[in-house]
Amino acid sequence: MNADVALVTGASRGIGRGIALALLAEGFTVHVTARTRFEAEAQQAGAAGSLEGLELEAAKLPGRIVVHRCDHGKDADTERVADAIRAGGRLDILVNNAWPGYENMVEDGDFTWPQPFWQQPAWRWEAMIGTALRGAFMMSRAVAPLMISARRGLIVNISFWAAQLYEGNAIYGIAKAAADKMAADFAHELRSHNVAAIALYPGLVRTEAVLENAEYFT
């Protein structure tokens, strides 16, 4: 195990889980957040993935995992995680991956994801803008001083080509464009402190949500 420390938000499933496992494989201490703590909760909700399941996978890897049940829609939860990170005195990488709004792509048998903006459910805006973007900003805001004092660190916002091109959902495009701009402006303000910020485009990944709705992506 090396001395590097990372924080990956939204790591119970999908891209966040994959990033956390990759960092653990490299020997990082990885703090992970998610709303779903136990597999039983995930099964009851009809969802895939939990922090408990991630812990089981992590046990086979050289790194150390630290789990935090956290709803990034609640600033107090985000601050509680930041307190734990600050107590450790080090953070090298923050990955802002928590991004609600993909759930319930099918509502009452209707695939609402590609509908025009005037037919989009309002909850999707609140999830992707009010929760996801705010959560990424608040988490970055909370831990950036730790990176600045160490004069090293990397903030990563998980984004997608929808930030630049139309990808079938206006809310998604708006949210990812904002994530890109957030990373760009963070980078500008952090440059003199030797801290970097980027937006990372993983592309279309075979996540649980994509596989669940695979028939609509063909």
Side-chain angles (χ1 to χ4, degrees):
M1 188 170 71
N2 63 42
D4 293 325
V5 179
L7 167 59
V8 183
T9 70
S12 62
R13 59 181 67 95
I15 291 169
R17 190 186 186 108
I19 292 172
L21 290 170
L23 291 169
L24 287 161
E26 294 298 319
F28 276 66
T29 292
V30 184
H31 292 257
V32 293
T33 72
R35 290 174 294 180
T36 308
R37 179 63 180 90
F38 300 107
E39 281 296 309
E41 295 174 50
Q43 292 169 5
Q44 186 175 14
S50 70
L51 291 174
E52 180 184 38
L54 177 58
E55 282 182 292
L56 292 174
E57 286 191 73
K60 308 169 188 175
L61 300 171
R64 182 173 74 95
I65 189 169
V66 183
V67 302
H68 305 270
R69 185 198 288 269
C70 176
D71 180 349
H72 287 284
K74 300 175 181 177
D75 291 346
D77 278 17
T78 296
E79 189 58 31
R80 177 173 44 79
V81 175
D83 284 342
I85 298 291
R86 287 190 288 259
R90 177 168 181 166
L91 184 65
D92 299 281
I93 301 174
L94 164 63
V95 181
N96 286 313
N97 172 76
W99 211 273
Y102 301 106
E103 60 268 54
N104 301 324
M105 287 186 175
V106 178
E107 300 181 83
D108 298 324
D110 186 19
F111 185 51
T112 62
W113 182 259
Q115 290 179 347
F117 72 87
W118 59 89
Q119 294 178 358
Q120 284 291 317
W123 68 260
R124 187 166 286 140
W125 174 275
E126 292 302 322
M128 290 197 162
I129 306 297
T131 298
L133 278 174
R134 180 181 174 83
F137 177 83
M138 295 302 288
M139 193 78 258
S140 302
R141 176 180 179 269
V143 300
L146 192 59
M147 295 180 172
I148 290 168
S149 64
R151 292 196 58 78
R152 59 174 291 169
L154 172 65
I155 296 174
V156 180
N157 283 353
I158 299 301
S159 191
F160 194 61
W161 286 108
Q164 303 180 40
L165 306 168
Y166 181 70
E167 287 283 348
N169 185 291
I171 298 173
Y172 182 57
I174 293 164
K176 290 307 183 183
D180 282 12
K181 180 60 173 169
M182 185 190 302
D185 284 2
F186 282 2
H188 179 80
E189 295 182 352
L190 290 167
R191 186 174 297 117
S192 64
H193 302 285
N194 201 41
V195 177
I198 64 171
L200 179 66
Y201 291 18
L204 184 63
V205 179
R206 290 168 60 86
T207 63
E208 296 87 348
V210 169
L211 292 175
E212 183 182 349
N213 297 280
E215 64 184 287
Y216 302 107
F217 288 92
T218 59

